[in-house]
Amino acid sequence: MDISQTIATLKKEPGFHEKVGMILTHNGVARATSRDGRPVSQIEVIPDFAKIEAIRAECETLPGVFKIVVEAHGGTFVPGDDLLFIVVAGDIRENVLEALTRTLYRIKAEAVAKRETLIAS
Protein backbone atom coordinates (compact mmCIF):
# COMPACT_ATOMS: atom_id res chain seq x y z
CA MET A 1 0.00 0.00 0.00
CA ASP A 2 1.16 3.49 -0.77
CA ILE A 3 -0.11 5.23 2.37
CA SER A 4 0.17 8.71 0.85
CA GLN A 5 -1.88 7.63 -2.18
CA THR A 6 -4.47 5.95 0.04
CA ILE A 7 -4.86 9.14 2.07
CA ALA A 8 -5.08 11.24 -1.09
CA THR A 9 -7.87 8.95 -2.35
CA LEU A 10 -9.73 9.20 0.98
CA LYS A 11 -9.56 13.00 0.81
CA LYS A 12 -11.47 12.91 -2.50
CA GLU A 13 -14.41 10.94 -1.05
CA PRO A 14 -17.69 12.81 -0.52
CA GLY A 15 -18.05 13.95 3.08
CA PHE A 16 -14.36 13.67 3.95
CA HIS A 17 -13.83 17.37 4.60
CA GLU A 18 -16.94 17.64 6.75
CA LYS A 19 -16.33 14.48 8.81
CA VAL A 20 -12.57 13.93 9.15
CA GLY A 21 -10.24 15.65 11.57
CA MET A 22 -7.65 12.89 11.95
CA ILE A 23 -6.09 10.00 10.06
CA LEU A 24 -4.02 7.32 11.76
CA THR A 25 -1.98 4.64 10.02
CA HIS A 26 -0.42 1.34 11.03
CA ASN A 27 2.36 -0.30 9.00
CA GLY A 28 3.24 -3.67 10.51
CA VAL A 29 6.56 -5.14 9.38
CA ALA A 30 8.28 -8.47 9.90
CA ARG A 31 10.73 -8.34 12.80
CA ALA A 32 14.18 -9.93 12.92
CA THR A 33 13.43 -11.32 16.38
CA SER A 34 10.58 -13.21 18.01
CA ARG A 35 8.71 -11.61 20.90
CA ASP A 36 11.09 -13.34 23.30
CA GLY A 37 14.16 -12.01 21.47
CA ARG A 38 15.27 -15.07 19.50
CA PRO A 39 16.54 -14.34 15.97
CA VAL A 40 14.11 -15.02 13.11
CA SER A 41 15.09 -15.69 9.49
CA GLN A 42 11.58 -15.54 8.04
CA ILE A 43 7.90 -15.53 8.94
CA GLU A 44 4.98 -17.21 7.25
CA VAL A 45 1.75 -15.22 7.49
CA ILE A 46 -1.66 -16.75 6.79
CA PRO A 47 -4.41 -14.11 6.75
CA ASP A 48 -8.12 -14.93 6.73
CA PHE A 49 -9.16 -12.23 4.27
CA ALA A 50 -12.90 -12.73 4.78
CA LYS A 51 -12.53 -12.34 8.55
CA ILE A 52 -10.30 -9.28 8.08
CA GLU A 53 -12.97 -7.68 5.89
CA ALA A 54 -15.67 -8.48 8.45
CA ILE A 55 -13.59 -6.88 11.23
CA ARG A 56 -12.84 -3.84 9.05
CA ALA A 57 -16.51 -3.36 8.21
CA GLU A 58 -17.61 -3.78 11.83
CA CYS A 59 -14.99 -1.36 13.17
CA GLU A 60 -15.91 1.16 10.48
CA THR A 61 -19.27 1.53 12.26
CA LEU A 62 -17.62 2.73 15.50
CA PRO A 63 -18.48 6.28 16.62
CA GLY A 64 -16.79 9.01 14.58
CA VAL A 65 -15.19 6.70 12.01
CA PHE A 66 -15.42 7.85 8.39
CA LYS A 67 -13.47 5.04 6.70
CA ILE A 68 -11.08 2.17 7.47
CA VAL A 69 -8.79 0.72 4.81
CA VAL A 70 -6.92 -2.54 5.47
CA GLU A 71 -4.33 -4.31 3.34
CA ALA A 72 -2.97 -7.60 4.69
CA HIS A 73 -0.28 -9.63 2.99
CA GLY A 74 0.05 -13.40 3.10
CA GLY A 75 3.01 -15.61 2.32
CA THR A 76 6.59 -15.94 3.49
CA PHE A 77 8.44 -12.78 4.47
CA VAL A 78 11.86 -11.71 5.71
CA PRO A 79 12.59 -9.06 8.35
CA GLY A 80 11.62 -5.62 7.13
CA ASP A 81 8.87 -6.77 4.76
CA ASP A 82 5.49 -5.06 5.07
CA LEU A 83 2.77 -7.34 6.50
CA LEU A 84 -0.26 -5.25 7.44
CA PHE A 85 -1.47 -1.74 6.66
CA ILE A 86 -4.42 -0.07 8.38
CA VAL A 87 -5.62 3.48 7.70
CA VAL A 88 -8.39 4.97 9.85
CA ALA A 89 -10.00 8.33 9.07
CA GLY A 90 -12.44 9.88 11.50
CA ASP A 91 -13.60 12.86 13.45
CA ILE A 92 -11.58 13.22 16.67
CA ARG A 93 -8.48 11.70 18.25
CA GLU A 94 -10.24 9.53 20.81
CA ASN A 95 -12.53 7.90 18.24
CA VAL A 96 -9.86 7.36 15.61
CA LEU A 97 -7.35 5.96 18.09
CA GLU A 98 -9.96 3.57 19.51
CA ALA A 99 -10.94 2.39 16.01
CA LEU A 100 -7.33 1.79 14.94
CA THR A 101 -6.52 -0.02 18.17
CA ARG A 102 -9.60 -2.23 18.04
CA THR A 103 -9.14 -3.02 14.34
CA LEU A 104 -5.48 -3.94 14.79
CA TYR A 105 -5.95 -6.08 17.90
CA ARG A 106 -8.91 -7.94 16.45
CA ILE A 107 -7.17 -8.66 13.13
CA LYS A 108 -4.07 -9.95 14.93
CA ALA A 109 -6.10 -12.07 17.39
CA GLU A 110 -8.86 -13.36 15.12
CA ALA A 111 -7.74 -13.27 11.49
CA VAL A 112 -4.00 -13.84 11.13
CA ALA A 113 -1.86 -16.89 11.85
CA LYS A 114 1.91 -16.78 11.65
CA ARG A 115 4.87 -19.12 11.96
CA GLU A 116 8.35 -17.82 12.58
CA THR A 117 11.44 -19.67 11.39
CA LEU A 118 14.02 -19.28 14.12
CA ILE A 119 17.73 -19.10 13.38
CA ALA A 120 19.53 -22.00 15.06
CA SER A 121 22.02 -20.86 17.65
Side-chain angles (χ1 to χ4, degrees), residues 8 13 21-22 41-42 67 78 80 97 104-105 108 110 118 120:
E13 290 199 20
M22 180 177 209
S41 62
Q42 64 183 21
K67 183 87 170 194
V78 297
L97 185 56
L104 173 60
Y105 278 89
K108 297 290 284 178
E110 301 172 31
L118 300 174

Side-chain angles (χ1 to χ4, degrees), residues 9-49:
T9 300
L10 282 172
K11 287 182 175 184
K12 293 176 184 174
E13 290 199 20
F16 177 90
H17 298 288
E18 295 78 21
K19 297 178 182 175
V20 175
M22 180 177 209
I23 299 172
L24 285 178
T25 64
H26 166 81
N27 181 183
V29 298
R31 291 187 313 270
T33 58
S34 63
R35 283 187 169 262
D36 63 7
R38 295 178 292 165
V40 171
S41 62
Q42 64 183 21
I43 182 171
E44 181 183 3
V45 178
I46 305 153
D48 179 337
F49 295 109

